[in-house]
Amino acid sequence: MSLLVTQAALALTVQDSGRSGYQRFGLPESGPMDWWAHWAANLLVGNAPGAACLELGFSDAVLRVESEMLFAVCGAGYRLRLNGRELPLWMAFRAREADEMRLEKTPGGNWVYLAAAGDLLTPAWFGSQSVYPRGGMGRPITAGDRVPTARKEGIGWQLAGQSLPKAFHPPCQAENVIRVVPGPHEDRFTPASVEAFYRSPFTVSTRSDRMGYRLRGPVMVHHGGADLVSQGMVIGEIQVPGDGQPIVMMPDHPTTGGYTCIATVIRADLPLVAQSEPGVSEIRFAPVEVSAAQEIYRNALAGIDSGIQPKEDLWHQL
Amino acid sequence: MNELPEGFPRYSPVGDSALLLEFGERVSPALNARVHALDRWLKADLFPGITACVPGYASLLVLYDLLKVNGGQVRTWLEERWRSCPFEDSQQSGKIVIPVRYGGEDGPDLDFVARYHDISPEEVVRRHTTPTYVVAMMGFTPGFPYLLGLDPALATPRLDDPRTLVPAGSVGIAGEQTGIYPLDSPGGWQLIGRISEKIFDLERDPPFLLSPGDEVMFVAAEGSTVQ
């Protein structure tokens, strides 16, 4: 059983929830750019939330279904067509052998996740199927590649049509407000720069990828220099090198770095950063306390879990 | 052990699922030794919900699962472990001896480093094979060890024009640092030699030859162009 990729998106890799514990050796966590959509896609097809999905970004892709399966596509910036007919994202659907699944890039985001009920039979490294080419762990998928799949026993075809309503998606807006925990090096910036950081809009540069998103906005001014003795970094950390333009660390980020960190994006809002369109989206930052950030994350997860709606009657007509 | 600088240790949250413990703001063997002593002490009795500890030159980053513990619990635990840590008695892990082929095609910048310091290539090798180095931290690419302990007389600036491809196993010098490239990658370090052993090999168990805190010595390999 498999999926045949007949046209590959610019960014197309297998990603599960990532690998943890190896950062001390220089291995990033990897995993999805938009954990929210990844989580939802898996739940919609009845998978465990961290299971491996295809992550597609930045351009169109076409896949041929080689065996009947239950799928879901979640994320932003794409339109889904099955044999030419448009289907909504954030909904489980059944596709049959020889069906053509087309993912067309549209404005409004960068990344989508294709989950299949069951497993993607791809290799694992350090306990994770997340592809990390820089470390020799797999490679991006190209046209002509087959992704082997294993259908789950006793698959719930009745799940077809269940969906996650918009109220439970990450709030993608034209001007996203991204919540951050200040620091750890906020004191290395001038008060005027810290104020500008929370007051001014930033745009995402086209020089952005799975390692990091470069932002363009007011120049952040350091006192005592931009460099520090290299230390460990996490996803979401906003480093500011000497040019004063922030870089948000994304899942394939280097595990250690030597630039001051003005603030760190909270887990719940990482999907908003990931889906911000280079050269288009404006983002702003707002500070929150750690305990508030943790509560926001727990509420987001609970929202996805409880928000899934059974299939609508409309679906029977398809 | 020496006192920490004024204002340290410093605890800071990094986002909603990590805590950074800084020991100081300089590269110092004494501070780095403390990092590894605490890292070992933490690992000896890991608090539930801790997912990773990442040593830096003068810091330890502790990541946790925010669904299992909160920042306050992790900080309380870290403070307790800090107080009880046997910094004085902490045992280094074993010393690892790595043969290096110095000079020739394996170390295209060895002659430059020698000329830069007005010494012979043989003297560069002698000085590079004398100290015991410590893996201060790893990063940059998977498995890249930042080694502390380079003879200051070998400190050499990076290349003005970094190479687009440095072969895996190359041993380099950049400023007062020395390190080994685990993978083929671009790089600007002065290359003085190359090792045969892979320091990162996905086909091997364990895949990483070195760990943060390890002690490392280099010896000139048989067949090295410069001994």
Side-chain angles (χ1 to χ4, degrees):
Chain A
M1 286 187 279
S2 54
L3 273 170
L4 174 66
V5 177
T6 54
Q7 182 187 336
L10 277 176
L12 176 50
T13 57
V14 173
Q15 296 294 335
D16 62 13
S17 55
R19 50 185 69 82
S20 194
Y22 302 97
Q23 296 97 319
R24 58 193 292 108
F25 297 107
L27 272 193
E29 289 162 273
S30 298
M33 292 291 284
D34 178 345
W35 65 262
W36 191 311
H38 183 270
W39 186 287
N42 274 316
L43 287 192
L44 283 168
V45 297
N47 286 350
C53 294
L54 292 185
E55 178 184 85
L56 302 91
F58 294 113
S59 68
D60 294 3
V62 182
L63 300 100
R64 190 181 308 139
V65 177
E66 297 196 317
S67 43
E68 183 171 43
M69 277 193 101
L70 186 72
F71 295 100
V73 177
C74 297
Y78 275 86
R79 182 169 38 233
L80 165 65
R81 290 184 191 280
L82 188 64
N83 299 327
R85 184 206 296 252
E86 186 171 348
L87 287 183
L89 305 189
W90 305 88
M91 185 188 78
F93 61 95
R94 187 173 183 167
R96 294 176 170 80
E97 194 178 328
D99 281 356
E100 184 196 70
M101 208 187 300
R102 184 173 280 273
L103 285 148
E104 298 165 352
K105 188 70 191 68
T106 62
N110 304 316
W111 303 96
V112 283
Y113 296 84
L114 170 64
D119 296 314
L120 301 185
L121 300 177
T122 60
W125 305 268
F126 301 95
S128 164
Q129 288 170 262
S130 287
V131 165
Y132 175 57
R134 270 171 71 88
M137 292 164 227
R139 60 166 176 82
I141 291 168
T142 56
D145 283 349
R146 264 195 176 77
V147 182
T149 56
R151 199 160 58 200
K152 192 177 345 200
E153 284 299 313
I155 186 152
W157 295 115
Q158 78 284 358
L159 297 182
Q162 71 169 349
S163 64
L164 188 68
K166 197 161 178 48
F168 302 99
H169 303 178
C172 283
Q173 291 146 9
E175 191 179 285
N176 296 317
V177 174
I178 310 286
R179 289 161 293 187
V180 298
V181 174
H185 310 121
E186 189 186 86
D187 59 351
R188 295 280 300 269
F189 296 86
T190 62
S193 287
V194 174
E195 201 201 319
F197 179 76
Y198 290 111
R199 198 192 52 222
S200 312
F202 289 85
T203 56
V204 176
S205 152
T206 49
R207 289 171 61 207
S208 296
D209 56 21
R210 281 189 46 87
M211 290 176 68
Y213 274 27
R214 290 168 183 272
L215 306 183
R216 292 284 169 265
V219 172
M220 303 286 109
V221 180
H222 300 85
H223 41 207
D227 295 357
L228 45 82
V229 175
S230 288
Q231 50 186 223
M233 295 198 291
V234 300
I235 297 172
E237 222 174 295
I238 306 172
Q239 287 219 332
V240 186
D243 69 0
Q245 297 291 276
I247 306 172
V248 187
M249 296 301 139
M250 298 309 272
D252 287 351
H253 68 90
T255 54
T256 55
Y259 297 121
T260 41
C261 171
I262 192 165
T264 306
V265 177
I266 71 171
R267 206 154 271 257
D269 286 353
L270 286 170
L272 299 184
V273 177
Q275 299 289 9
S276 294
E277 289 175 274
V280 178
S281 308
E282 284 202 339
I283 58 179
R284 287 171 190 272
F285 295 107
V288 291
E289 299 273 338
V290 174
S291 53
Q294 295 178 337
E295 193 178 337
I296 293 166
Y297 179 70
R298 285 192 294 267
N299 289 341
L301 289 185
I304 302 170
D305 286 349
S306 66
I308 292 181
Q309 306 291 312
K311 67 180 165 190
E312 296 167 27
D313 286 343
L314 172 75
W315 180 250
H316 293 300
Q317 301 162 18
L318 292 179
Chain B
M1 206 175 262
N2 298 334
E3 288 300 306
L4 291 189
E6 181 76 24
F8 293 93
R10 186 163 70 196
Y11 297 83
S12 320
V14 186
D16 53 25
S17 37
L19 200 62
L20 179 69
L21 177 51
E22 289 169 292
F23 296 64
E25 292 173 314
R26 287 176 303 108
V27 174
S28 129
L31 290 181
N32 190 249
R34 284 208 170 213
V35 172
H36 298 301
L38 184 64
D39 179 50
R40 282 189 287 271
W41 188 237
L42 295 186
K43 277 193 294 182
D45 185 14
L46 210 53
F47 196 61
I50 304 295
T51 57
C53 297
V54 189
Y57 273 115
S59 64
L60 195 58
L61 178 69
V62 178
L63 286 81
Y64 58 90
D65 179 346
L66 64 90
L67 298 178
K68 296 193 176 132
V69 282
N70 65 45
Q73 291 167 309
V74 175
R75 173 155 180 172
T76 303
W77 171 70
L78 259 183
E79 285 174 338
E80 186 284 311
R81 294 304 278 174
W82 169 271
R83 279 193 301 273
S84 61
C85 181
F87 287 109
E88 310 287 343
D89 309 328
S90 186
Q91 290 296 310
Q92 289 284 355
S93 17
K95 191 183 289 189
I96 295 158
V97 177
I98 302 178
V100 182
R101 300 186 307 269
Y102 287 100
E105 283 180 12
D106 295 314
D109 302 323
L110 179 67
D111 290 340
F112 174 83
V113 172
R115 279 200 309 278
Y116 185 84
H117 297 289
D118 201 16
I119 55 178
S120 66
E122 288 75 14
E123 180 65 7
V124 173
V125 171
R126 192 188 69 76
R127 286 177 180 269
H128 198 255
T129 51
T130 301
T132 296
Y133 301 93
V134 174
V135 180
M137 60 171 209
M138 295 171 83
F140 174 54
T141 60
F144 190 98
Y146 289 87
L147 300 176
L148 266 179
L150 182 69
D151 185 335
L154 293 183
T156 315
R158 285 161 209 260
L159 298 179
D160 290 335
D161 189 13
R163 290 183 171 86
T164 51
L165 180 68
V166 173
S170 295
V171 177
I173 290 176
E176 295 190 3
Q177 306 178 93
T178 187
I180 310 164
Y181 284 84
L183 302 161
D184 291 346
S185 59
W189 292 34
Q190 304 277 359
L191 307 181
I192 59 170
R194 197 170 169 202
I195 66 171
S196 304
E197 207 162 354
K198 288 185 174 170
I199 59 167
F200 174 44
D201 182 359
L202 280 168
E203 306 300 315
R204 184 182 59 201
D205 187 24
F208 297 102
L209 181 67
L210 303 174
S211 301
D214 281 353
E215 291 187 337
V216 175
M217 276 203 83
F218 293 116
V219 295
E222 273 185 50
S224 177
T225 304
V226 178
Q227 293 281 340

